[in-house]
Amino acid sequence: MEPAKRKKVTIKSVYDKKKAGQKITSIGVYDAPMAAIADRVGFDFLVVGNAGPMALLGHPDPTTVKFEEQLALTRAVSRVTKFGFVVGHMPYMSYHASKEQAIVSATRLVAEGGADCVKCEGNRYTAEYIAEIVRAGIPVMGHIGMQASRRTEQSGFGVKGRMADDAMKIIDDARAFIEAGVFAFIVEQVPTDVAAYLAETFAAPMITLGGGTKNDGVYHISGDLVGYSAFPIPKNRGAFADVRPIIETALTEYRDAVVASAYPLEENTFRMTPEEREKFLKQAGTSNGGFAHEAAE
């Protein structure tokens, strides 16, 4: 029997997965090669998060990421994605100044970037801007728990919601986002107790990063999965490969071969026919040894 033909992931298909108790798969991708691989493998969500400009463009903090940079990465991912649901992250302060700004920024990620939806960090106080984006017809994925662009406010990148009062604030923020129309969440760096409560309480899919397995799905960053980033790979999230030594070995061998005049290989070298070479040398006004003579002068 032939395998079922793959279809484009939709909001409905993701909700159907939650209802059926099937895990929703998500991965952070930030360039065309990785997105193409991830889409062939098959993921529900291809998330162009703020880790992309950090890992690929060298931003030490997401608050320095420019909207145009995030837009460019989203374009790269969407161009090669056929089946996954592309999630474009809204950068720091791209939707906080006004409802108009929120709609314009979200529209650009969809219309210019090719995203299927946008992702917004925030809390109860930013929910009104999220609601405006939803009213404009653009689906929004929420991002709660640890929020990288709010790391100063949250006192760092650590686990959020370990204390009961802090956990209740996360629940309250999630409820406000759902009331605003958010259809799904990335829940980052929270105790599994909180993740399980969110998944069991709300109809919206709860996809966790660093939140255990009691959830509707898991999100991980492709660069962290394979060891490809400008920064150290987080030790507490698990990696499935480390391509850095492979890349470093290849680059070292290439450099050494160039220094030794052993690269490119002779069989890969392009040459003129003897007749054309002779014609070329005559037209250039030199002889076989002329190039070396001119270089010496």
Side-chain angles (χ1 to χ4, degrees), residues 217-289:
V218 175
Y219 170 61
H220 207 332
I221 296 166
S222 58
D224 291 348
L225 279 169
V226 301
Y228 188 73
S229 173
F231 300 103
I233 307 303
K235 295 181 179 179
N236 66 331
R237 292 183 180 167
F240 290 77
D242 189 355
V243 301
R244 289 171 297 180
I246 299 172
I247 294 173
E248 187 171 336
T249 297
L251 295 184
T252 300
E253 292 179 358
Y254 161 67
R255 181 205 60 194
D256 293 348
V258 170
V259 171
S261 295
Y263 182 87
L265 299 176
E266 177 60 30
E267 57 263 34
N268 296 328
T269 299
F270 302 107
R271 295 190 181 280
M272 304 172 77
T273 64
E275 294 78 11
E276 288 301 318
R277 181 174 183 275
E278 188 66 28
K279 186 189 299 184
F280 162 64
L281 293 176
K282 287 181 179 179
Q283 291 180 5
T286 185
S287 61
N288 290 347

Coordinates of all heavy atoms in Angstrom, one line a residue, residues 217-289:
G217 N 3.0 18.6 22.9 CA 4.0 18.5 22.0 C 5.3 19.1 22.5 O 5.3 19.8 23.6
V218 N 6.4 19.0 21.8 CA 7.7 19.5 22.2 C 8.3 20.3 21.1 O 8.1 20.1 19.9 CB 8.6 18.3 22.5 CG1 10.0 18.8 22.9 CG2 8.1 17.5 23.7
Y219 N 9.0 21.3 21.6 CA 9.7 22.3 20.7 C 11.2 22.2 21.0 O 11.6 22.2 22.2 CB 9.1 23.7 20.9 CG 9.9 24.8 20.2 CD1 10.1 24.8 18.8 CD2 10.5 25.8 20.9 CE1 10.8 25.8 18.2 CE2 11.2 26.9 20.3 CZ 11.3 26.8 18.9 OH 12.0 27.9 18.3
H220 N 12.0 22.2 20.0 CA 13.5 22.3 20.2 C 14.1 23.1 19.1 O 13.5 23.2 18.0 CB 14.1 20.9 20.2 CG 15.3 20.8 21.1 ND1 16.2 21.8 21.3 CD2 15.9 19.7 21.7 CE1 17.2 21.4 22.0 NE2 17.0 20.1 22.3
I221 N 15.2 23.6 19.3 CA 15.9 24.5 18.3 C 16.9 23.6 17.5 O 17.7 22.9 18.1 CB 16.7 25.6 19.1 CG1 15.7 26.5 19.8 CG2 17.6 26.4 18.1 CD1 16.3 27.5 20.8
S222 N 16.8 23.7 16.2 CA 17.6 22.8 15.3 C 19.1 23.0 15.6 O 19.8 22.0 15.6 CB 17.3 23.1 13.9 OG 17.6 24.5 13.6
G223 N 19.6 24.2 15.8 CA 21.0 24.4 16.0 C 21.5 23.7 17.3 O 22.6 23.1 17.4
D224 N 20.6 23.7 18.3 CA 21.0 23.0 19.6 C 20.9 21.5 19.4 O 21.6 20.8 20.1 CB 20.0 23.5 20.7 CG 20.2 24.9 21.1 OD1 21.2 25.5 20.7 OD2 19.4 25.4 21.9
L225 N 20.0 21.0 18.6 CA 19.9 19.6 18.3 C 21.1 19.0 17.7 O 21.5 17.9 18.0 CB 18.6 19.3 17.4 CG 17.3 19.3 18.1 CD1 16.2 19.3 17.0 CD2 17.1 18.1 19.0
V226 N 21.7 19.8 16.8 CA 22.9 19.2 16.0 C 24.2 19.9 16.3 O 25.2 19.6 15.7 CB 22.6 19.3 14.5 CG1 21.3 18.5 14.2 CG2 22.5 20.7 14.0
G227 N 24.2 20.9 17.3 CA 25.4 21.5 17.7 C 25.9 22.6 16.7 O 27.1 22.7 16.5
Y228 N 25.0 23.3 16.1 CA 25.4 24.3 15.2 C 24.9 25.7 15.6 O 23.7 26.1 15.4 CB 24.8 24.0 13.8 CG 25.3 24.9 12.7 CD1 26.6 24.8 12.2 CD2 24.5 25.9 12.1 CE1 27.1 25.6 11.2 CE2 25.0 26.7 11.1 CZ 26.3 26.5 10.6 OH 26.7 27.4 9.6
S229 N 25.8 26.5 16.3 CA 25.4 27.8 16.8 C 26.7 28.6 17.1 O 27.7 28.0 17.3 CB 24.6 27.6 18.1 OG 24.4 28.9 18.7
A230 N 26.5 29.9 17.1 CA 27.7 30.7 17.4 C 27.9 30.7 18.9 O 29.0 31.2 19.4 CB 27.4 32.2 17.0
F231 N 27.0 30.2 19.7 CA 27.1 30.2 21.2 C 27.1 28.8 21.7 O 26.7 27.8 21.0 CB 26.0 31.0 21.8 CG 26.0 32.4 21.3 CD1 25.1 32.9 20.3 CD2 26.9 33.4 21.8 CE1 25.1 34.2 19.9 CE2 26.9 34.7 21.3 CZ 26.0 35.1 20.4
P232 N 27.5 28.6 23.0 CA 27.5 27.3 23.6 C 26.1 26.7 23.6 O 25.1 27.4 23.7 CB 28.0 27.5 25.0 CG 28.8 28.8 24.9 CD 28.1 29.6 23.9
I233 N 26.0 25.3 23.4 CA 24.7 24.6 23.3 C 24.2 24.4 24.8 O 25.0 23.9 25.6 CB 24.9 23.3 22.6 CG1 25.5 23.5 21.2 CG2 23.5 22.6 22.5 CD1 24.8 24.5 20.3
P234 N 23.0 24.7 25.1 CA 22.5 24.5 26.4 C 22.6 23.0 26.8 O 22.2 22.1 26.0 CB 21.0 24.9 26.3 CG 21.0 25.9 25.2 CD 22.0 25.4 24.2
K235 N 23.1 22.7 28.0 CA 23.4 21.3 28.4 C 22.1 20.6 28.8 O 22.1 19.4 28.9 CB 24.4 21.3 29.5 CG 25.8 21.8 29.0 CD 26.8 21.7 30.1 CE 28.2 22.2 29.6 NZ 29.2 22.2 30.7
N236 N 21.1 21.4 29.3 CA 19.9 20.7 29.9 C 18.8 20.4 28.9 O 17.7 20.0 29.3 CB 19.4 21.7 31.0 CG 18.8 23.0 30.4 OD1 19.2 23.4 29.4 ND2 17.8 23.5 31.1
R237 N 19.1 20.6 27.6 CA 18.0 20.3 26.6 C 18.2 19.1 25.8 O 17.3 18.6 25.1 CB 17.8 21.6 25.7 CG 17.2 22.7 26.5 CD 17.0 23.9 25.6 NE 16.4 25.0 26.4 CZ 16.3 26.3 25.9 NH1 16.7 26.5 24.7 NH2 15.8 27.2 26.7
G238 N 19.4 18.6 25.8 CA 19.7 17.4 25.0 C 20.0 17.6 23.6 O 19.3 18.4 22.9
A239 N 21.0 17.0 23.0 CA 21.4 17.1 21.6 C 21.4 15.7 21.0 O 21.7 14.8 21.7 CB 22.7 17.8 21.5
F240 N 21.2 15.6 19.8 CA 21.2 14.4 19.1 C 22.4 14.2 18.2 O 22.6 13.1 17.6 CB 19.9 14.2 18.3 CG 18.7 14.0 19.2 CD1 18.1 15.1 19.8 CD2 18.1 12.7 19.4 CE1 17.0 14.9 20.6 CE2 17.0 12.6 20.2 CZ 16.4 13.6 20.8
A241 N 23.2 15.3 18.0 CA 24.4 15.2 17.2 C 25.2 16.4 17.5 O 24.7 17.4 18.1 CB 24.0 15.1 15.7
D242 N 26.5 16.4 17.1 CA 27.3 17.6 17.2 C 28.1 17.7 15.9 O 29.1 17.0 15.7 CB 28.3 17.4 18.4 CG 29.0 18.7 18.7 OD1 28.9 19.7 17.9 OD2 29.7 18.8 19.7
V243 N 27.7 18.6 15.0 CA 28.4 18.7 13.7 C 29.6 19.6 13.8 O 30.3 19.7 12.8 CB 27.4 19.2 12.7 CG1 26.2 18.3 12.5 CG2 26.9 20.7 13.0
R244 N 29.8 20.3 14.9 CA 30.9 21.2 15.0 C 32.3 20.5 14.7 O 33.1 21.1 13.9 CB 30.9 21.9 16.3 CG 29.8 23.0 16.4 CD 29.7 23.5 17.8 NE 29.3 22.4 18.8 CZ 29.1 22.6 20.1 NH1 29.3 23.8 20.6 NH2 28.8 21.6 20.9
P245 N 32.6 19.4 15.3 CA 33.9 18.8 15.0 C 34.0 18.4 13.6 O 35.1 18.4 13.0 CB 33.9 17.5 16.0 CG 32.9 17.9 17.1 CD 31.9 18.7 16.4
I246 N 32.9 17.9 13.0 CA 33.0 17.5 11.6 C 33.3 18.7 10.7 O 34.1 18.6 9.8 CB 31.6 16.9 11.2 CG1 31.3 15.6 12.0 CG2 31.6 16.6 9.7 CD1 29.9 15.1 11.8
I247 N 32.6 19.8 10.9 CA 32.8 21.0 10.2 C 34.2 21.6 10.4 O 34.9 21.9 9.4 CB 31.8 22.1 10.5 CG1 30.4 21.7 10.1 CG2 32.1 23.4 9.9 CD1 29.3 22.6 10.6
E248 N 34.7 21.5 11.6 CA 36.0 22.1 11.9 C 37.1 21.2 11.2 O 38.1 21.7 10.7 CB 36.3 22.1 13.4 CG 37.6 22.7 13.9 CD 37.7 22.9 15.4 OE1 36.6 22.9 16.0 OE2 38.8 23.0 15.8
T249 N 36.9 19.9 11.2 CA 37.9 19.0 10.6 C 37.9 19.3 9.1 O 39.0 19.4 8.5 CB 37.5 17.5 10.8 OG1 37.6 17.2 12.2 CG2 38.4 16.6 10.1
A250 N 36.8 19.4 8.5 CA 36.7 19.7 7.0 C 37.4 21.0 6.7 O 38.1 21.1 5.7 CB 35.2 19.7 6.6
L251 N 37.1 22.1 7.5 CA 37.7 23.4 7.2 C 39.2 23.4 7.4 O 39.9 24.0 6.7 CB 37.1 24.4 8.1 CG 35.6 24.7 7.9 CD1 35.1 25.9 8.8 CD2 35.3 25.1 6.5
T252 N 39.6 22.6 8.4 CA 41.1 22.5 8.7 C 41.8 21.8 7.5 O 42.9 22.2 7.0 CB 41.3 21.7 10.0 OG1 40.7 22.4 11.1 CG2 42.8 21.6 10.2
E253 N 41.2 20.7 7.0 CA 41.8 20.0 5.9 C 41.8 20.8 4.6 O 42.8 20.8 3.9 CB 41.0 18.7 5.7 CG 41.2 17.7 6.8 CD 40.4 16.4 6.6 OE1 39.7 16.3 5.6 OE2 40.5 15.5 7.4
Y254 N 40.8 21.6 4.4 CA 40.7 22.5 3.3 C 41.8 23.5 3.4 O 42.5 23.8 2.4 CB 39.3 23.1 3.2 CG 39.3 24.4 2.3 CD1 39.5 24.3 1.0 CD2 39.1 25.6 2.9 CE1 39.5 25.5 0.2 CE2 39.0 26.8 2.2 CZ 39.2 26.7 0.8 OH 39.2 27.8 0.0
R255 N 41.9 24.2 4.5 CA 43.0 25.2 4.7 C 44.4 24.6 4.4 O 45.2 25.2 3.7 CB 42.9 25.8 6.1 CG 43.9 26.9 6.4 CD 44.2 27.0 7.8 NE 44.7 25.8 8.4 CZ 44.8 25.5 9.7 NH1 44.3 26.3 10.6 NH2 45.3 24.3 10.1
D256 N 44.6 23.5 5.0 CA 46.0 22.9 4.9 C 46.3 22.5 3.5 O 47.4 22.6 3.0 CB 46.1 21.7 5.8 CG 46.1 22.0 7.3 OD1 46.2 23.2 7.6 OD2 45.9 21.1 8.1
A257 N 45.2 22.0 2.7 CA 45.4 21.6 1.3 C 45.7 22.8 0.5 O 46.5 22.8 -0.5 CB 44.2 20.9 0.8
V258 N 45.1 24.0 0.8 CA 45.4 25.2 0.0 C 46.8 25.7 0.3 O 47.5 26.0 -0.7 CB 44.4 26.3 0.4 CG1 44.8 27.7 -0.1 CG2 43.0 26.0 0.0
V259 N 47.2 25.6 1.5 CA 48.6 26.1 1.9 C 49.6 25.2 1.2 O 50.7 25.6 0.7 CB 48.8 26.0 3.4 CG1 50.3 26.2 3.8 CG2 47.9 27.1 4.1
A260 N 49.3 23.9 1.0 CA 50.2 22.9 0.4 C 50.1 22.9 -1.1 O 50.7 22.0 -1.8 CB 50.0 21.5 1.0
S261 N 49.3 23.7 -1.7 CA 49.0 23.8 -3.1 C 48.5 22.4 -3.6 O 48.7 22.0 -4.7 CB 50.3 24.1 -3.9 OG 50.7 25.5 -3.6
A262 N 47.7 21.8 -2.7 CA 47.1 20.5 -3.1 C 45.7 20.6 -3.4 O 45.0 19.5 -3.7 CB 47.3 19.5 -1.9
Y263 N 45.1 21.8 -3.4 CA 43.7 22.0 -3.7 C 43.6 23.2 -4.6 O 44.3 24.2 -4.3 CB 42.9 22.1 -2.4 CG 41.4 22.3 -2.7 CD1 40.6 21.2 -2.9 CD2 40.9 23.6 -2.9 CE1 39.2 21.4 -3.2 CE2 39.5 23.7 -3.1 CZ 38.7 22.6 -3.3 OH 37.4 22.8 -3.6
P264 N 42.8 23.2 -5.6 CA 41.9 22.2 -6.1 C 42.7 21.0 -6.8 O 43.9 21.2 -7.2 CB 41.1 22.9 -7.2 CG 41.2 24.3 -6.9 CD 42.6 24.5 -6.4
L265 N 42.1 19.9 -6.9 CA 42.8 18.7 -7.5 C 42.9 19.0 -9.0 O 42.1 19.7 -9.6 CB 41.9 17.5 -7.2 CG 41.7 17.1 -5.8 CD1 40.8 15.9 -5.7 CD2 43.1 16.8 -5.1
E266 N 43.9 18.3 -9.5 CA 44.2 18.5 -11.0 C 43.0 18.1 -11.8 O 42.7 18.8 -12.8 CB 45.4 17.6 -11.4 CG 45.8 17.7 -12.9 CD 46.1 19.1 -13.3 OE1 46.6 19.9 -12.5 OE2 45.8 19.4 -14.5
E267 N 42.3 17.0 -11.4 CA 41.2 16.6 -12.3 C 40.0 17.5 -12.2 O 39.1 17.4 -13.0 CB 40.7 15.2 -11.8 CG 40.3 15.0 -10.4 CD 41.5 14.5 -9.5 OE1 42.6 14.8 -9.8 OE2 41.2 13.8 -8.5
N268 N 40.0 18.4 -11.2 CA 38.9 19.4 -11.1 C 39.4 20.8 -11.7 O 38.7 21.8 -11.5 CB 38.5 19.6 -9.7 CG 37.9 18.3 -9.2 OD1 37.2 17.6 -9.9 ND2 38.1 18.0 -7.9
T269 N 40.5 20.9 -12.3 CA 41.0 22.1 -12.8 C 40.6 22.3 -14.3 O 40.6 21.4 -15.1 CB 42.6 22.1 -12.8 OG1 43.0 22.0 -11.4 CG2 43.1 23.4 -13.3
F270 N 40.1 23.5 -14.6 CA 39.7 23.8 -16.0 C 40.8 24.3 -16.8 O 41.6 25.2 -16.3 CB 38.6 24.9 -15.9 CG 37.4 24.5 -15.1 CD1 37.1 25.0 -13.9 CD2 36.5 23.5 -15.5 CE1 36.0 24.7 -13.1 CE2 35.4 23.1 -14.8 CZ 35.2 23.7 -13.6
R271 N 41.0 23.8 -18.0 CA 42.0 24.3 -18.9 C 41.5 24.5 -20.3 O 40.5 23.9 -20.7 CB 43.1 23.2 -19.0 CG 43.9 23.0 -17.7 CD 45.1 22.1 -17.8 NE 45.7 21.9 -16.6 CZ 46.6 22.7 -16.0 NH1 46.8 23.9 -16.6 NH2 47.1 22.4 -14.8
M272 N 42.2 25.5 -21.0 CA 41.9 25.8 -22.4 C 42.5 24.7 -23.2 O 43.4 24.0 -22.8 CB 42.4 27.1 -22.8 CG 42.0 28.3 -21.9 SD 42.9 29.8 -22.2 CE 42.0 30.3 -23.7
T273 N 42.0 24.5 -24.4 CA 42.6 23.6 -25.4 C 44.0 24.3 -25.8 O 44.1 25.5 -25.7 CB 41.8 23.5 -26.7 OG1 41.6 24.7 -27.3 CG2 40.4 22.9 -26.3
P274 N 44.9 23.5 -26.2 CA 46.2 24.0 -26.6 C 46.1 25.1 -27.7 O 46.8 26.2 -27.6 CB 47.0 22.8 -27.1 CG 46.4 21.7 -26.4 CD 45.0 22.0 -26.3
E275 N 45.2 24.9 -28.6 CA 45.0 25.9 -29.7 C 44.5 27.2 -29.1 O 45.0 28.3 -29.5 CB 44.0 25.4 -30.7 CG 44.5 24.2 -31.5 CD 44.4 22.9 -30.7 OE1 43.7 22.9 -29.6 OE2 45.0 21.9 -31.2
E276 N 43.5 27.2 -28.3 CA 42.9 28.4 -27.7 C 43.9 29.1 -26.7 O 43.9 30.3 -26.6 CB 41.6 28.1 -27.0 CG 40.4 27.7 -27.9 CD 40.1 28.9 -28.8 OE1 40.1 30.0 -28.4 OE2 39.9 28.6 -30.0
R277 N 44.7 28.3 -26.0 CA 45.6 28.8 -25.1 C 46.7 29.6 -25.9 O 47.1 30.7 -25.5 CB 46.3 27.7 -24.3 CG 47.3 28.3 -23.3 CD 47.9 27.1 -22.4 NE 48.8 27.6 -21.4 CZ 50.1 27.9 -21.6 NH1 50.6 27.6 -22.8 NH2 50.8 28.3 -20.6
E278 N 47.1 29.0 -27.0 CA 48.1 29.7 -27.9 C 47.6 31.0 -28.4 O 48.2 32.0 -28.4 CB 48.6 28.8 -29.0 CG 49.8 29.3 -29.8 CD 51.0 29.4 -29.0 OE1 51.2 28.6 -28.0 OE2 51.9 30.2 -29.3
K279 N 46.3 30.9 -28.9 CA 45.6 32.1 -29.4 C 45.5 33.2 -28.3 O 45.8 34.4 -28.6 CB 44.3 31.8 -30.0 CG 43.6 32.9 -30.7 CD 42.1 32.5 -31.0 CE 42.1 31.3 -31.9 NZ 40.6 31.1 -32.3
F280 N 45.1 32.8 -27.1 CA 45.0 33.7 -26.0 C 46.3 34.4 -25.7 O 46.4 35.6 -25.5 CB 44.4 32.9 -24.8 CG 44.6 33.6 -23.5 CD1 44.0 34.9 -23.2 CD2 45.5 33.1 -22.5 CE1 44.2 35.5 -22.0 CE2 45.6 33.8 -21.3 CZ 45.0 35.0 -21.0
L281 N 47.4 33.6 -25.6 CA 48.7 34.2 -25.3 C 49.2 35.2 -26.3 O 49.7 36.2 -26.0 CB 49.7 33.1 -25.1 CG 49.5 32.1 -23.9 CD1 50.5 31.0 -23.9 CD2 49.6 32.9 -22.6
K282 N 48.9 34.9 -27.6 CA 49.3 35.8 -28.7 C 48.5 37.1 -28.5 O 49.0 38.2 -28.7 CB 49.0 35.2 -30.0 CG 50.1 34.1 -30.4 CD 49.8 33.5 -31.8 CE 50.8 32.5 -32.1 NZ 50.6 31.9 -33.5
Q283 N 47.1 37.0 -28.3 CA 46.3 38.2 -28.2 C 46.6 39.0 -26.9 O 46.5 40.2 -26.9 CB 44.8 37.8 -28.1 CG 44.3 37.2 -29.4 CD 42.8 36.8 -29.3 OE1 42.2 37.1 -28.3 NE2 42.3 36.3 -30.4
A284 N 47.1 38.3 -25.9 CA 47.5 39.0 -24.6 C 48.9 39.6 -24.8 O 49.3 40.4 -23.9 CB 47.5 38.0 -23.5
G285 N 49.6 39.3 -25.8 CA 50.9 40.0 -26.1 C 51.9 39.4 -25.2 O 52.8 40.2 -24.8
T286 N 51.9 38.1 -24.9 CA 52.9 37.6 -24.0 C 53.3 36.2 -24.5 O 52.7 35.7 -25.5 CB 52.5 37.5 -22.6 OG1 53.5 37.1 -21.7 CG2 51.3 36.6 -22.4
S287 N 54.2 35.5 -23.9 CA 54.6 34.2 -24.2 C 54.3 33.3 -23.0 O 53.8 33.7 -22.0 CB 56.1 34.1 -24.6 OG 56.8 34.5 -23.5
N288 N 54.7 32.0 -23.2 CA 54.4 31.0 -22.1 C 55.0 31.5 -20.7 O 54.4 31.3 -19.7 CB 55.0 29.7 -22.4 CG 54.2 29.0 -23.6 OD1 53.1 29.5 -23.9 ND2 54.8 28.0 -24.1
G289 N 56.1 32.1 -20.8 CA 56.7 32.5 -19.5 C 56.4 34.0 -19.1 O 56.9 34.5 -18.1

